């Protein structure tokens, strides 16, 4: 019952806004757009959705703030409720690692 | 021949309402002298209140008086009587009241002596000995002898730290019989002198006020009601000069926040007088020196905070209370006296003039003026032709605020800065933010011991409770849900400073609040930078707002006027109005006209409307009508019986019992008990019972009959309780 792993690739909808909590922990909330083709019941179909990502702690490299919108990133982490308040069941990905996706045409070193 | 007294009545420290009787075994002490007496198993220091021939108790049951610490009264009769009167009026144990009136050194049994310093003088031989005769073998002694011969005397102050072993050198001179060392009293007074600087010409109103003060005879309570910048201090200085010319002393009482080095400096540059300064920041020895100097008539002018009202005066001539409306003139714990009210009582007992000064007189004082008890001296114009500031209410409803600053305010600040003006931004809340909130679950940082939120202080990365001493580091994650996304909510001066720096990155700013001035001398340095105009934006709490002369300020911005509009305390509107007028008074005090911008979510609020369009006096008249309609002071008299305990039920049980013990036949009206507005504070639960009577006389008579029974209640032993007569703060 303790399994909760997600690995997903998507493009940044907006630039990353990095801020710091009062205790000095870096925090960012970002939105990525995923686009792929997946097989469902033997039929290949397009999959497209947006999902929120929360990145807290040393998950994001400091240069993440310079990534332009549209940058393709790979997010690894687990699913969590967006807010801990009752009755709010929206999910987001709490990231443990965010990296530039391999072969991203928009991103040049 | 009358029978010699056998009994000494002694006020001892502790919660005893009356003095205790002791048997005189040897010398008869004078009332006002300190004695050591046995109390339980301890020996304590008490003050003799009176001597008597008989006690109500059989003599054999009385314990003997111990050592006499003073041959004569340390406390003059007048001051002893005043303190006893105050203990009665405020229903406070007489020993504790007397303790408050004595400097701490005297409380601890230290002799009533000035600080002494060694002074070296020449002997006759020393005067006739040429220094050259010593020069060959003892060059240091030769130099010291030469210095003594030219100066007449030497003391430690003549030698900077680095100047070698001068003390040893002088000692050798003493051994050679060339000099002698003497112990000299050094009361540490400031030697004021008229530096001949140009005196502002008095305008008509100022001259009338000065004439009225000079012409006053006997007990004369005068209220100098002068708009901010009207030159009240100039009137004070003229009044004090007249008192000094008559060979009398002046006692000047100011609120803590107003006793600044600038004020003392202004007095010292103007008055040819020896000035003693008394405040809580002094070392025990300095405080005693000032007190003794006033008692012995060595000091001519005594400037002090609240407790200075208990300074003995050898040649009393005038008592002056500046900013008489200020709440800090009322002691808020222990012996809860009002320094302003006691100043008036004292002046009455001494038959003196007493001046109460303010730009915003308290409603009590205005009421007394209307009844003709106090004489009104108005200074309706600003001195030197400065114009009154223009007010503008900034409606911030629905407007985006950037860390508390609205766009119109930022624009107005920019306009003043571009025009070479200075801007004062006022926010009466220190720290970064008053609340730390978890963005995910809504947890807020609360004090464990109080019903209060912890304030986030960014600089030290800590959370502080502003109501008790509790503090702790900022948590890394929410203690409830584990989220690290904690967010500061609301504005304190620390946050506002960042916002202003972001909006005006090239403008020098200084922030003045209790946190930024913690280091010794920091306040003086920052204030000097503000006054010299190096800092163009001044941001601060009331510390910055009150009483300071900041001639270059052209715009005063009140960031949040809403804080005081909806308080449970019936005095809150009065306090808010006074604060706004005081802050606004910083604007345009020199030749440039000033503006005052007030940000509010309630621009239609009658208090703000009246204050801005009709002025403080109109506001106060309306407020007095409301007080009269609601049966509140000054139309009635009030006291507050407070109780607190760790045990949650105990305060309520005590107050219920106190209420039930309410005596028949008095005019006391008991309202409550109710929980205190902040029910839990520093780990104690607090409740209060409001006592109201038609007049002070009825209140006093009623309390006198009621309180002894209250003190004797069994429930009283389970709580800490106090009675606050004429409470300044209902919370």
């Amino acid at each position: 019952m303790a399994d909760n792993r997600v690995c997903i690739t998507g493009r940044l909808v907006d630039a990353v806004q990095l801020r710091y909590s009062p205790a000095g922990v870096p925090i960012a909330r970002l939105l990525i757009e995923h686009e792929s083709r997946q097989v469902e019941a033997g039929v290949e179909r397009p999959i497209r959705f947006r999902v929120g990502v929360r990145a807290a702690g040393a998950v994001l490299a400091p240069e993440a703030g310079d990534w332009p919108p549209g940058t393709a990133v790979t997010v690894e982490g687990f699913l969590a409720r967006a807010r801990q308040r009752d009755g709010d069941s929206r999910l987001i990905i709490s990231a443990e690692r965010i990296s530039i996706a391999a072969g991203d045409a928009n991103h040049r070193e | 021949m009358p029978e010699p007294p056998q009994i000494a009545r002694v006020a001892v420290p502790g919660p005893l309402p009356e003095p205790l009787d002791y048997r005189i075994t040897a010398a008869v002490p004078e009332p006002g002298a300190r004695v050591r007496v046995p109390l339980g198993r301890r020996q304590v220091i008490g003050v003799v209140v009176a001597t008597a021939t008989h006690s109500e108790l059989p003599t054999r049951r009385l314990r003997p008086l111990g050592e006499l610490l003073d041959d004569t009264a340390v406390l003059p009769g007048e001051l002893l009587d005043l303190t006893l009167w105050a203990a009665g009026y405020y229903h406070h144990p007489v020993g504790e009241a007397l303790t408050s009136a004595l400097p701490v050194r005297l409380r601890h049994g230290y002799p009533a002596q000035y600080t002494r310093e060694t002074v070296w003088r020449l002997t006759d031989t020393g005067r006739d000995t040429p220094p050259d005769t010593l020069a060959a073998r003892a060059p240091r002694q030769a130099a010291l002898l030469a210095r003594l011969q030219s100066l007449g005397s030497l003391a430690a102050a003549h030698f900077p730290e680095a100047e070698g072993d001068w003390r040893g050198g002088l000692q050798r001179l003493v051994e050679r019989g060339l000099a002698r060392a003497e112990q000299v009293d050094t009361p540490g007074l400031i030697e004021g002198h008229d530096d001949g600087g140009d005196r502002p010409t008095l305008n008509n109103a100022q001259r009338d006020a000065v004439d009225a003060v000079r012409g006053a005879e006997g007990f004369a309570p005068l209220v100098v009601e002068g708009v901010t910048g009207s030159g009240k201090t100039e009137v004070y200085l003229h009044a004090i000069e007249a008192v000094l010319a008559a060979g009398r002393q002046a006692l000047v009482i100011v609120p803590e926040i107003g006793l600044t080095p600038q004020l003392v400096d202004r007095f010292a540059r103007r008055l040819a007088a020896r000035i003693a300064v008394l405040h809580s920041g002094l070392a025990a020895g300095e405080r005693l020196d000032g007190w003794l100097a006033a008692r012995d008539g060595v000091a001519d002018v005594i400037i002090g905070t609240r407790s200075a009202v208990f300074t003995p005066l050898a040649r009393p001539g005038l008592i002056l209370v500046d900013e008489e409306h200020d709440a800090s003139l009322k002691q808020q714990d222990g012996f809860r006296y009002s320094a302003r009210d006691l100043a008036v009582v004292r002046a009455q007992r001494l038959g003196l003039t007493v001046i109460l000064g303010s730009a915003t007189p308290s409603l009590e004082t205005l009421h007394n003026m209307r009844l003709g008890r106090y004489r009104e001296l108005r200074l309706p114009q600003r001195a030197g032709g400065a114009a009154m500031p223009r007010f503008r209410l900034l409606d911030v409803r629905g407007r985006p605020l950037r860390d508390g600053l609205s766009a119109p305010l930022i624009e107005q600040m920019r306009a003043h800065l571009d025009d070479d003006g200075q801007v004062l931004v006022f926010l009466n809340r220190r720290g970064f933010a008053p609340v730390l909130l978890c963005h995910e679950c809504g947890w807020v940082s609360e004090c464990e011991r109080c019903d209060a939120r912890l304030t986030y202080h960014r600089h030290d990365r800590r959370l502080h409770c502003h109501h008790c001493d509790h503090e702790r580091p900022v948590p890394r994650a929410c203690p409830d849900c584990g989220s690290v996304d904690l967010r500061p909510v609301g504005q304190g001066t620390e946050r506002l400073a960042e916002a202003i720096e972001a909006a005006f990155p090239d403008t020098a700013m200084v922030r003045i609040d209790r946190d930024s001035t913690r280091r010794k001398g920091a306040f003086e340095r920052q204030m000097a930078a503000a006054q010299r105009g190096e800092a163009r934006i001044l941001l601060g709490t009331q510390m910055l707002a009150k009483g300071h002369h900041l001639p270059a300020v052209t715009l005063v911005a009140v960031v949040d006027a809403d804080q005081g509009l909806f308080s449970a305390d019936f005095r809150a509107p009065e306090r808010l109005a006074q604060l706004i007028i005081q802050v606004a008074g910083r604007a345009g005090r020199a030749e440039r006209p000033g503006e005052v911008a007030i940000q509010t979510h309630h621009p239609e609020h009658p208090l703000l409307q009246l204050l801005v369009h009709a002025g403080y006096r109109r506001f106060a008249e309306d407020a007095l009508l409301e007080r009269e309609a609601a049966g509140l002071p000054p139309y009635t008299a009030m006291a507050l019986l407070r109780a607190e305990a760790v045990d949650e039920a105990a305060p309520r049980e005590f107050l219920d019992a106190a209420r039930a013990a309410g005596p028949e036949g008095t005019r006391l009206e008991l309202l409550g008990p109710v929980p205190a507005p902040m029910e839990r504070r520093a780990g104690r639960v607090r409740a209060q019972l409001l006592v109201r009577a038609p007049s002070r006389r009825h209140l006093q008579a009623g309390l006198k009959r009621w309180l002894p029974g209250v003190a004797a209640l069994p429930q009283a032993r389970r709580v800490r309780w106090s009675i606050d007569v004429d409470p300044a703060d209902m919370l």
Side-chain angles (χ1 to χ4, degrees), chain B residues 528-553:
Chain B
Q531 269 154 345
R532 280 196 304 270
E534 281 161 29
R536 305 279 312 288
I537 301 178
L538 321 175
L539 162 66
T541 57
Q542 56 173 333
M543 213 174 181
L544 174 67
K546 287 192 179 172
H548 304 293
H549 188 60
L550 298 164
V553 169

Side-chain angles (χ1 to χ4, degrees), chain A residues 6-52:
Chain A
V6 178
C7 178
I8 202 158
T9 303
R11 293 188 183 280
L12 293 177
V13 176
D14 302 301
V16 178
Q17 296 281 336
L18 198 61
R19 58 195 176 81
Y20 291 86
S21 84
V25 181
I27 302 172
R29 282 171 191 268
L30 34 131
L31 193 62
I32 58 168
E33 186 162 86
H34 170 84
E35 208 177 336
S36 66
R37 299 187 74 79
Q38 305 288 340
V39 178
E40 192 177 71
V43 183
E44 192 186 87
R45 50 181 297 201
I47 301 291
R48 186 173 174 162
F49 63 86
R50 287 180 171 193
V51 63

Side-chain angles (χ1 to χ4, degrees), chain A residues 19-27 29 54 56-58 81-85 92, chain B residues 436 438-442 456 458 461 474-477 481 483-488:
Chain A
R19 58 195 176 81
Y20 291 86
S21 84
V25 181
I27 302 172
R29 282 171 191 268
R54 180 170 67 217
R81 257 196 347 217
R83 287 178 178 231
Q84 297 301 307
R85 226 167 271 152
I92 54 163
Chain B
L436 190 65
C438 172
H439 183 64
E440 292 197 32
C441 76
Y456 167 44
R458 172 119 125 192
R461 283 205 179 168
V474 172
R476 199 180 140 78
C481 79
S483 164
V484 293
D485 196 353
L486 300 174
R487 297 185 181 183

Side-chain angles (χ1 to χ4, degrees), chain B residues 561-624:
Chain B
D562 299 343
Q563 284 177 60
L565 286 178
F566 304 99
S567 167
D569 190 335
F570 72 85
R571 282 185 217 274
E574 180 189 349
R575 300 248 180 274
L576 178 65
Q578 288 164 345
L579 192 56
I580 289 179
I581 296 295
Q582 292 286 339
V583 180
R586 302 313 112 205
R589 284 168 74 101
E591 60 282 356
R592 324 176 99 186
E595 283 191 297
V596 180
I598 300 175
Q599 287 196 148
T600 176
H601 287 87
H602 304 276
E604 75 295 336
H605 195 287
L607 186 156
L608 294 175
Q609 284 295 330
L610 209 53
L611 200 59
V612 163
H613 295 121
Y616 177 79
R617 194 61 183 263
R618 263 301 308 284
F619 155 80
E621 278 160 12
D622 269 38
L624 276 171

Side-chain angles (χ1 to χ4, degrees), chain B residues 409 413 416-417 421-427 500 510 527 530 536-541 544-546 548 550 552-559 582-587 595-597:
Chain B
L409 181 59
M413 287 173 67
H416 277 262
L417 292 169
Q422 201 179 27
V423 176
L424 187 155
V425 182
F426 173 74
L427 177 65
I500 291 172
V510 61
M527 227 33 231
R536 305 279 312 288
I537 301 178
L538 321 175
L539 162 66
T541 57
L544 174 67
K546 287 192 179 172
H548 304 293
L550 298 164
V553 169
T554 54
L555 172 66
V556 166
V558 177
V559 173
Q582 292 286 339
V583 180
R586 302 313 112 205
E595 283 191 297
V596 180

